[in-house]
Amino acid sequence: MTKPQAKGRITKLRQEINHHRYLYHVKDTQEISDAALDSLKHELAQLEQQFPDLITPDSPTQRVGGKPLPELRQVQHAVPMLSLQDAFSDEELSQWETRNKKIVRAAYDYFIELKIDGVAMALMYEDGILIRAATRGDGRVGEDVTHNIKTIEAIPLRLNQPHPKRLEVRGEVYLLKQDFARLNKQRAKQGLKLFANPRNIAAGSIRQLDPAVAAERPLRFFAWEITAGAVLNTRTDEYDLLQKLGFPVPPDAKLCRDLEAVSRYLIKEDKQRNRRPFLVDGAVIKINDLNISQRLGVVGKAPRGSIAYKFAAEEATTIVEDIVVQVGRTGVLTPVAHLRPVSVAGTTVSRATLHNADEIKRKDVRIGDTVIIRKAGDIIPEVVRALPKLRPPRTKPFSMPSKCPICRSPVIKEPDGVAYRCTNRNCFPVQREKILHAVGSGGFDIDGLGDKIVEQLLQAGLIKDAPDVWQLTVGDLLPLERFADKSAQKLIDEISQHKIIPLARFLAALSIPQVGTVTAQDLAREFRSLDRIRDASVEKLAGVSGVGEKIAQATYDFFRDKTVQKIIQKYETAGIRITAPETDGALSSKTFLFTGSMSDMTRDEAKQRVTALGGKVASAAGQEVDYVVVGEDAGSKADKARKMGLTIITPQQFMKMIK
Ligand code: IVH
């Protein structure tokens, strides 16, 4: 990106981010998810890093914190409400450990708890009675929201005995996913604006002036810390005491001996987090020994003794580079967005379904748009929405093609008014066979791309033709049936190892009508490059031995077809390298005829070896044949060759020649 381009993009990103920050902090509402906003901030930060002189003091990257509601009373926190440093990988966790061990040389274990996606709250108790509840605010001064917090049933208004004289407990106010869905359903019925996520409801309800609103919302609470009133040695003791006093705590907390155990916990919880009834956005890893934690102190606004591990976000923003129309098994056309690759939920996403024409129209997704991509669990990635304010100038709304992008047959709109369909019933099966032929043993010979997988890839809109397979990523395969991390990686590796192909095989992979393996070899040997075959006249093509008038015409027409030209272009873009047959190979300018079966290799393999070594393969006995390889149960071809006085050799002699 050039500097003026970056400047334009930075300005737009700042406006968009500021708009969402304002909605969130001042209006208590949200139009896009935190993850999507984070993604925009990330893009901005990266651009500013690339062009540091474009950083301005008012850039959203240059500030932290939000504005308090002026109507709520302010509360000074006796112990500041800190935040946590984030980690996104095992590596970052081990760096955290290394840093800490340099400060405090001691052996310790970790207490790990689910990180609940809610709103932090400080609760003050005197003589066992809840006297005040405050939000975090800027960490030093929060807002008094006691009137609303008292409506939350999970928060004890009176502590269990025995309890300290004064106690401060901190924790997270949250909402169950099912309650969030129910509330939004109700609001939709009443024609009210929908909430973006459960945390958004929690935050909004807590900061209301009228407690009746909070009372109507099924808010819940998990306690995660005691900041005053108890002398404790470990996080485990703290967790136990909180429960004894009457507080709910995050479930399935665990004491882990080392970071390896922590890592196992994280993998397990990441997998099952979608099944939890509340939103979990990571885990908090805390040094269990509170004295060690204390000694480590604070850096910036975060204690060194704890760290927040964030699970990969399920949403991110990226740019639509193209919208490609896919033809499914039943002929239905599906638009697919091709994206600038982006990491979502731990995998790289480069394509996302746009479902159908109505959906694109409703979302008004255009080529060049910045979009929010969502990929939850095993779901195929989808485009959530476009961000029209980040749209470049001169974009066009998308429209469905009137001709099938594969077979050029007319496209009709279904009576249901949503789906578009190719009118050629054979379109999908023919395309599937073509792809299978190209990647199969006569073409690129890619292991693991069988009919089931090719069919799935076509169905999911991940490929449209054979060259598309080189654009596949592990992230594309993972949501499909039959794929796990290892098998997906294996197939991607296998595909990327098949980028070099002899010309004859490439011609076979193209599925030129009437051109079989032998003709492909004849053409390859004669012309020695794809360009020369492509540019050859019908006469020149027909001049090749073994190529008749009809085949020459079919080949000539084939290379004049726009779809074919596009496919060849796509192979080039994918980095496919076509190699010419050797002229000075061991069998150069020798012609072989095979008849009967051979014990050491199949006839096809033998033919391939001959061409690879620069020789030719004939299909019938003729004077141009140098050697006739006669195997077992040879038929009339062998007799004819003998009659013609051609040189006959055994398969064993042939094997010696090619060694
Ligand atoms: S311990 C110094 N434990 O996540 C703060 N926090 O990103 C110590 N959170 O500020 C926090 N679940 O609002 C802790 N089990 C948990 C938590 C948790 C959610 C929130 C909390 C904190 C933020 C850090």
Side-chain angles (χ1 to χ4, degrees), residues 315-370:
E315 284 191 9
T317 55
T318 187
I319 291 179
V320 177
E321 290 180 332
D322 199 3
I323 297 177
V324 172
V325 175
Q326 204 73 43
V327 185
R329 181 168 235 308
T330 55
V332 171
L333 270 56
T334 310
V336 178
H338 284 211
L339 309 163
R340 180 184 294 171
V342 62
S343 173
V344 194
T347 49
T348 304
V349 171
S350 48
R351 291 173 194 75
T353 176
L354 287 159
H355 300 294
N356 54 49
D358 271 15
E359 184 98 349
I360 301 192
K361 206 167 161 194
R362 196 168 55 74
K363 293 179 177 165
D364 188 17
V365 178
R366 304 182 185 189
I367 297 171
D369 266 351
T370 302

Side-chain angles (χ1 to χ4, degrees), residues 81-86 113-121 136 171-172 223-225 235 250 281 284 286 301-303 306 308 310:
M81 265 184 108
L82 302 173
S83 53
L84 290 182
Q85 189 202 328
D86 287 333
E113 243 172 39
L114 293 177
K115 182 163 142 53
I116 315 299
D117 193 12
V119 179
M121 195 57 54
R136 179 201 308 274
E172 207 80 1
W224 38 250
E225 192 172 39
R235 291 285 179 194
D281 59 348
V284 180
K286 312 174 182 185
K301 281 188 173 178
S306 300
K310 292 262 189 81

Side-chain angles (χ1 to χ4, degrees), residues 26-84:
V26 181
K27 294 281 182 193
D28 274 336
T29 158
Q30 227 170 319
E31 275 175 7
I32 65 173
S33 69
D34 290 4
L37 185 55
D38 276 350
S39 204
L40 292 175
K41 284 189 215 157
H42 185 68
E43 188 189 343
L44 176 62
Q46 275 190 328
L47 282 176
E48 287 184 344
Q49 202 177 356
Q50 207 180 336
F51 301 100
D53 50 324
L54 295 179
I55 299 176
T56 55
D58 65 340
S59 172
T61 55
Q62 305 299 305
R63 71 157 184 193
V64 275
K67 291 182 189 161
L69 270 192
E71 298 90 341
L72 294 169
R73 235 181 25 155
Q74 301 204 332
V75 177
Q76 180 97 25
H77 294 296
V79 178
M81 265 184 108
L82 302 173
S83 53
L84 290 182

